Amino acid sequence: MEDKPTRRRAVRSRSRPATMRAKTRPEATESNGRGRPDLRAARSSGPGNSRTRSRQPKEEGIAPLKLALSAVIIILITALVFVFGSHLQTSFGAKQRTRSQASTSKHLSHPWPSFRSTCENTGFAPFKTHLKPATDPTANHNANYWAFQTGRGIFSVPAISAFGQILIGSADRKFYALDELTGKVLWKITTGEIIDSAAAIHGENIIFASGDGHVYNASIHDGTIHWKFAAHHQEGTADEHEGLTCGEESFITAHGGTSTWFEGQVQISPIDGRVYIGNDDYRLYSIHANGSEAYNFYPGPLPYGTIWSGPAITRSGSVIGSSMNGKYFKLDKNGKCIWFHEEMYSISSGPAVEADLKMVFLGSWNGVMRAVNHTNGHTVWTFSAGDQIYGGVAVDAARRCIYFGSQDGVFYAVNSLTGKSVWRYRVNYPIRTSPALALDAVYFGAANGMIYALKPDTGDLIWSFDTTEDPDHREINASPALGHTSVVFGSEDGRIISIPYRYCLEAKTRKDPRCHTQTSEIDAVGMSDGRNLYYLYPGGIIANDVPDGFTTSGVWHIRLLIVSDNKPRVAHVLQATAELSPPTNGLTIEYLSTSGSVLITPRGFLASDTQYNLTVTMFDNSMTSTKRLFTFRTAANKLVPMFSGMINTTRLTSATTLHIYNLKPSYPPSWISLNQIGFDSVNLLAAIIHVISSNDTSTDYLVWIAAGLLEQDASIILDPTTPTLAPGILSIHPDGTTFELWSQFSVITGGPPIPMTGFSVASHFDVESGMFGTPTAPSWMSWSSWCGDSISSLIGAIQTNMCSTRGRIVTVGAARGRVYASSVSEKPRGWKVSKAAVRSAGWLGTEYVIEVTVSGGVGARAPVFGVVLFDEVRRVPVYLDYKAVMRVEVDVDVGQAQIAVSLANAMWKVGGGEGDLVRVIVMCDMYPLFNEVLKVDA
C-alpha cells in the first residue's frame, strides 16, 4: 500500500457519539492522503445527503411570538410529512441524512456500491440525474469535469461511496481511492498484478480483487488492509477442496484453471455479508465476511470455465451465476445446486434479476439475450442482436424494459415481459459496457470513445461526450457508474473520467466541442443504409478515405459495411483483390474473421511523398461485388536518423532495445472482449543483436524478443516464466525513423498462451517524443495464427467468430513503444561464455544439440539466459519454440550456467545442405553475450 502511514488506525469505540467521532476524523487533504473527502459543497446535490444542523439560540429566552410561529411551522411540516409518506425525499429519491447519520447507519446510502449497483445486478440507481430545473438547489451547476490518468488501461467499474470516494482498479496494478469532486488521490494500494474486476462496498470497507490471485478487504477511509483471501485451484496443483458441482457430480473431477487471476466482479450478499467472486481457476468463491472460505463452486472446465461475471444475489440469499463455458446456474446460500443450464457460447454478462416478474436476464456471445424463469431456469423468451453481447442489462422495473448493448454497435431497449424490441440506438462501434440506469436517463459507453445518455422512454439522445485523446487508444469498455453529481467510468487509455450529469446541458459548458446533444452532430461515417468499403485506422476508427500523410510502413485495413433498416448486417468476404498504383513488390491479402474486413500489406516500404491509388474489390456471401478506389499521399519522410543513429552492434556495452506495450487488437473485435486488459498489460522487449543486411531500401537487424514484467517503479524486468522468447527481424527505412518488426511467438495475457505465428509492428518514431504509436506517429500491429493450433483455441475461435473463411485468426490493431534503456540490456558483470558447440545426435544424426557453458557469475544475480540460432545460408532466424526446446540450469554459488538446446533436424535443416554453419548468439537477459558462427560437429 502506498501514500499512507504503515501504522494501522486505532479502532474507534462504537459507543462514542457520532458527532464526537466526526470531529476526531481528519479531513482528507492532498498532503496526508487519508481520511474521507469533504463533500460539504456537494452534499446538497448528492442523493440522500441534505445537511441538517441544530443550533443553540443566542438568547436566554424566546419571545412568545416566535414560539407561536415555530409551533405553526412544526404543525405544517408534520402534516406534510404525514401526507407525503412519513419521510421527505431528495430529488434523487434517497432518504435525507446528515453526515453523522450517514457514518453510523448500518446501511449506508452509497450511490453506486458495486459493479451493477444492486445485489440483483439491475444496474439501477433510483434518483434523477439531468432533469433538474435551474431553481433546484440539488442540480449542482458547479460540478466539474475531471480526468485522472493511471499507468495502464481500465476495464473495471468504479464503486462510489456515500463519503464521496471513487474506488477503482487499473492494469497498472494499483487500486485507487479518488475524491469524487476533484479526482485527487486519497490513497492507493499496489497489488501483484493487473486489476480488471469491479470492487464492492460493504459498510465502510471496500472489497476488491487482483490478478495476483487475492481478494482484499480494506478500509474505505484510508486503505488499511483488514484481510486477504487467496485463490488456490491452479492447474496441476492438488487441492482437497475440489469444489461443489451441479448435476454432474458422479463423473466430473474438478480441475484448476490456467491461472488464479480474479477477473470476476465482486458481489456481496445483503443477507450475511458473504463475498462472491469468480476466478480464472474455474471457481466461484463464496467468502465469509471475515475472509475465510465458505465454499467454492466449479462449473466445469470446457472449453474455458473461468467466471468473469458477477453473480446476482436474490432477496432470499440464493446465488445466480454464469461462466465463460456457457453455464448458468442457481445455488442456495450454501452452494447447493437449485438449477443448472448450459449453451454452446460464452457468457460474460452477469445475470440480472427482475424480482417482481421472477425473471433473470443474461446475454451470450452468440448475440442472444434470454429471459429465464427465476424458479427453474427455463427460457421464457429470447431476443437476437446482430453480434456478441458482452455486458449485462439494466433492468427498468417501472417501464417493464431492459437495456443492453451489443458488439454490432447497437444499443437495445427490449420489453422484459415479451422480449419484443421497444427501440434501438446505433453507434456503429462495439458496445461492451453494461448500462447504468437512473430515473431519467440510461448511460453507456462505446468503442468510439463516446459516453451516451439516452431517454429511457424513447431512446432519444440527451447528450453524448467524446473522450478521445489518442484516436487509437480510446475505447470505453469499462461500464459507467452513477455518483452524487456525475457519471464516472474508466477508459482504455488509463483515465478515470467524471462528467457532470448536466455538463453538456448547462450554458457555460455545453459549447464544449466534445459535447453533442443531437445525433446529427456525431460522426456519421458508415451510418447510412447501403454497402460500401471503408478504411479503418489502427485503433478501429472508421473513415471514408485513406488519410494523406500515410506512413511508408503502413498497411490497409479495409472493411465492407452493409447497413439495412439502420441495422448493420454481418458480411462474409469470400474473395478480395487489391491493386496499387504505382506498384510495389507485391501485396498480401489476409481475411479477418467474419467481420467483412481484409488486411492488405505491401511487401517492403512505400515510396515517401508519393500519391498512390489503391483499388479494392470484395465479393461477399450475398453474391455481390463491392469495389472502391482509395487515393492518398504518403508522408514526406524527413532524414532524421533518430532511431538508426542509436544502433551500434560493435563494441557493445548495451543493446539497443525497444519496449512495445499497450497492445490493442481492434479487429476481430472479440479480442477486446476476451482480454483488452491482458493485452494492454503486455510488455515486450526487442533487443537488436546482429546486422543481417543493408541496402538502399532498408537495413535489416536480428532482434531477440522477450516478455517483461512491470515493476512498481515503472521499470521493466524479464519474466523468467514467459513463453515469449523468440528471434525476429527489424527492418529500418533509410530515413532512420520508419521501421517494421516481424517475429513469431506465443504470449500470455492471463489465460492460455496465445500463438502469434506472424507478429508485426509497423510505425515510425515521433521525433519530438522519441516514441511510436502516438497520435502523430500511429503504429500498425498485426498477427495471425491457425484456428486449430489447439483444441481450446479452435473452440474459442468458433465461439467468438474470430476464425476467417481461410481457417486463420488474423488480427490487426495498434501498439505503443519507445527505445528503452535499462539494466536488462546492459553488458552483465562477471558472466561470460566459456564453451559453445553444436553437434548432431540421435540415430543417423536426426537431432541437433547446442551446448553452452556460461561462467564467472559467482554471487551475481541469475539472469534470464537464452540461445538464438541464425541460418547463415538463408540469412533468416531459426524460428522455434525456444522455451520448449531449451534447458537452462544456473548455479550462482559456483557462478556457472549450463544451457542446452535440443531439436529434431526436421525442425531445422542446418545450412540447407550447403554447409553446416549456424550462428549462435547467447543472450544474457537482453544482452548478446556471445555471437559467433559455429560448424556442426558430426
Side-chain angles (χ1 to χ4, degrees), residues 434-571:
S434 301
L437 175 67
L439 291 173
D440 55 356
V442 58
Y443 299 84
F444 68 94
N448 58 355
M450 304 278 281
I451 190 80
Y452 295 84
L454 305 182
K455 294 179 180 179
D457 290 327
T458 62
D460 293 335
L461 180 71
I462 300 170
W463 56 258
S464 67
F465 186 93
D466 189 352
T467 68
T468 303
E469 288 192 351
D470 183 342
D472 288 333
H473 297 271
R474 68 174 187 170
E475 296 196 11
I476 299 175
N477 296 315
S479 302
L482 304 182
H484 294 92
T485 61
S486 304
V487 55
V488 186
F489 53 93
S491 174
E492 174 198 358
D493 63 9
R495 286 180 297 154
I496 302 165
I497 301 170
S498 175
I499 304 174
Y501 297 124
R502 295 187 55 81
Y503 184 85
C504 291
L505 304 176
E506 294 291 345
K508 66 178 182 180
T509 51
R510 66 189 178 197
K511 293 184 179 179
D512 187 322
R514 297 170 294 183
C515 286
H516 306 282
T517 54
Q518 300 293 327
T519 300
S520 59
E521 300 171 356
I522 305 172
D523 183 10
V525 174
M527 296 290 282
S528 57
D529 280 8
R531 60 171 57 233
N532 206 345
L533 300 182
Y534 297 92
Y535 167 80
L536 272 71
Y537 283 84
I541 300 174
I542 303 172
N544 278 317
D545 302 295
V546 178
D548 286 335
F550 192 75
T551 178
T552 55
S553 63
V555 298
W556 301 280
H557 178 192
I558 307 298
R559 181 183 179 188
L560 171 61
L561 189 59
I562 304 173
V563 180
S564 177
D565 190 25
N566 196 34
K567 187 175 183 180
R569 182 173 67 81
V570 177

Side-chain angles (χ1 to χ4, degrees), residues 743-785:
S743 183
Q744 58 185 52
F745 48 78
S746 293
V747 67
I748 290 180
T749 63
I754 297 173
M756 298 179 174
T757 54
F759 176 87
S760 71
V761 174
S763 188
H764 65 277
F765 277 88
D766 177 69
V767 177
E768 298 295 328
S769 65
M771 300 177 62
F772 63 87
T774 66
T776 57
S779 66
W780 285 98
M781 175 192 69
S782 64
W783 75 79
S784 62
S785 58

Side-chain angles (χ1 to χ4, degrees), residues 830-832 834-835 852-860 862-863 865 888-899:
W831 294 105
K832 62 180 180 179
S834 56
K835 175 189 173 183
V852 177
T853 300
V854 185
S855 58
V858 178
F865 288 105
V888 181
E889 297 177 358
V890 182
D891 189 338
V892 294
D893 292 333
V894 299
Q896 192 172 82
Q898 299 289 340
I899 308 170

Side-chain angles (χ1 to χ4, degrees), residues 59 84 133 181 206 242 321 561 582 599 635 704 835:
E59 302 89 348
F84 291 106
L181 292 181
I206 183 71
E242 289 186 339
L561 189 59
L599 185 66
W704 177 244
K835 175 189 173 183

Side-chain angles (χ1 to χ4, degrees), residues 96-176:
Q96 291 193 36
R97 64 177 75 227
T98 65
R99 188 174 199 176
S100 61
Q101 287 173 327
S103 65
T104 57
S105 173
K106 183 177 179 181
H107 301 289
L108 296 168
S109 180
H110 303 294
W112 200 270
S114 61
F115 174 54
R116 302 299 297 130
S117 179
T118 68
C119 63
E120 294 173 323
N121 281 342
T122 60
F124 175 62
F127 51 79
K128 291 182 179 180
T129 53
H130 75 283
L131 288 179
K132 300 187 176 205
T135 55
D136 189 339
T138 68
N140 198 353
H141 306 282
N142 296 317
N144 295 316
Y145 164 91
W146 58 257
F148 173 80
Q149 183 69 57
T150 70
R152 287 295 175 92
I154 297 176
F155 210 1
S156 58
V157 184
I160 305 177
S161 78
F163 309 112
Q165 295 125 320
I166 307 295
L167 301 143
I168 187 171
S170 168
D172 65 6
R173 305 186 177 194
K174 294 180 176 64
F175 188 83
Y176 295 89

